[in-house]
Amino acid sequence: MYINGTTIKDVWVKAINMILKTGETNIDERGSEVLEINNLFANIDLDDNVFIENPCYDIPKGSHWKPDKLKVYQEQFLNPDNEKNFVYTYGQRLRGYELAIPLKNKFYKAKKIDQIQEVINKLNNNINTRRAVAVTFNPYLDNENDEIPCLMMVKFEVKNNKLKTFAVWRSHDIYGAWFANLIGLWKLADYVKDNVKKCIGLDDITVLSMNAHIYKNDVMDAQKIIDSN
């Protein structure tokens, strides 16, 4: 399934609408009832004519998200420190990824990696690279825990001196999290763009949600977003 638009706000409304209209009822592994579809592609075509300097201020009518909360969430995408000791944060996994290395004596040596800086370095070394990839899943940690990242990977490419951004979510709460996730992803893309020498702007942001869902408890509130927009 594919949806397209020129703003994060408009694509979010379309994503909600698609799941409400076509989603199938299922019970997830926590026992929650959801409406879901598989493999939802969402593309935000960042047309210069409708460019919004900070999309956290461009919020659909009736949304539970507020600019101040979204601005905090944006900064978490760039912050390598998990300051409130959550199970994980995207900033921690993307900018403070802790690689556990198995040694012969069965001890592990941890090495923290700023994957976003590595992405920037790759693009500055070769603007045509297809290797500017950052991942969040850590098999040494996440195979042992119930709470694992929903965002799996981010990739960047530069075409015609503009940055294209691609992201994959294994599981995506479309009503409760998608809008904030994309605001954070936009902030991350903007940061990469500002630090790649030959990059002059942002191009498309494309997201694959392998499992896109809305919790049944949120269906009425999700419908209000459609009705108001």
Side-chain angles (χ1 to χ4, degrees):
M1 301 222 177
Y2 177 81
I3 50 178
N4 184 60
T6 55
T7 67
I8 294 172
K9 174 182 74 174
D10 291 342
V11 176
W12 184 43
V13 173
K14 290 179 181 180
I16 291 173
N17 193 46
M18 179 171 284
I19 293 177
L20 292 178
K21 286 186 173 181
T22 68
E24 296 183 356
T25 300
N26 198 6
I27 305 296
D28 70 12
E29 57 199 314
R30 291 191 181 95
S32 299
E33 191 175 4
V34 296
L35 281 176
E36 65 178 22
I37 61 177
N38 289 117
N39 298 327
L40 175 63
F41 277 94
N43 188 74
I44 298 95
D45 179 8
L46 296 177
D47 190 319
D48 289 337
N49 294 324
V50 292
F51 175 73
I52 296 166
E53 185 173 352
N54 193 333
C56 73
Y57 294 106
D58 188 36
I59 301 173
K61 296 176 183 177
S63 171
H64 56 291
W65 292 106
K66 304 301 179 186
D68 288 348
K69 190 174 181 179
L70 289 169
K71 286 171 69 177
V72 170
Y73 189 82
Q74 278 186 330
E75 297 306 320
Q76 288 179 349
F77 249 75
L78 293 172
N79 187 354
D81 298 319
N82 187 350
E83 295 171 346
K84 295 186 178 181
N85 294 317
F86 295 131
V87 177
Y88 68 88
T89 67
Y90 290 141
Q92 176 192 31
R93 291 297 179 95
L94 293 170
R95 306 209 65 191
Y97 191 96
E98 195 165 3
L99 180 64
I101 305 171
L103 303 175
K104 289 182 180 180
N105 60 6
K106 296 185 180 180
F107 288 96
Y108 294 85
K109 180 180 179 181
K111 178 183 179 183
K112 288 191 175 182
I113 302 172
D114 184 346
Q115 295 186 86
I116 300 307
Q117 186 58 52
E118 295 298 328
V119 161
I120 292 166
N121 293 344
K122 285 184 172 70
L123 290 167
N124 278 325
N125 288 334
N126 188 332
I127 201 66
N128 296 315
T129 186
R130 298 190 295 268
R131 301 170 184 172
V133 176
V135 299
T136 64
F137 189 80
N138 185 331
Y140 290 103
L141 299 175
D142 296 326
N143 284 323
E144 303 295 327
N145 295 314
D146 291 332
E147 297 297 332
I148 69 173
C150 293
L151 170 64
M152 291 281 100
M153 65 165 286
V154 183
K155 179 186 177 185
F156 302 94
E157 291 185 11
V158 176
K159 303 291 185 185
N160 300 317
N161 297 107
K162 288 191 175 183
L163 187 75
K164 288 181 175 289
T165 304
F166 308 88
V168 177
W169 263 262
R170 63 166 183 86
S171 177
H172 222 161
D173 179 357
I174 300 302
Y175 172 75
W178 191 97
F179 186 72
N181 290 160
L182 267 289
I183 295 292
L185 186 61
W186 174 89
K187 182 72 172 180
L188 181 66
D190 196 54
Y191 176 83
V192 173
K193 177 261 296 180
D194 285 345
N195 286 278
V196 175
K197 297 173 184 176
K198 294 183 180 180
C199 215
I200 61 172
L202 294 177
D203 205 332
D204 293 8
I205 295 177
T206 305
V207 172
L208 168 61
S209 303
M210 294 180 178
N211 181 288
H213 55 268
I214 294 175
Y215 289 96
K216 277 294 185 74
N217 290 340
D218 291 330
V219 164
M220 291 183 65
D221 290 331
Q223 184 61 51
K224 290 177 183 178
I225 297 291
I226 303 304
D227 296 341
S228 300
N229 295 274

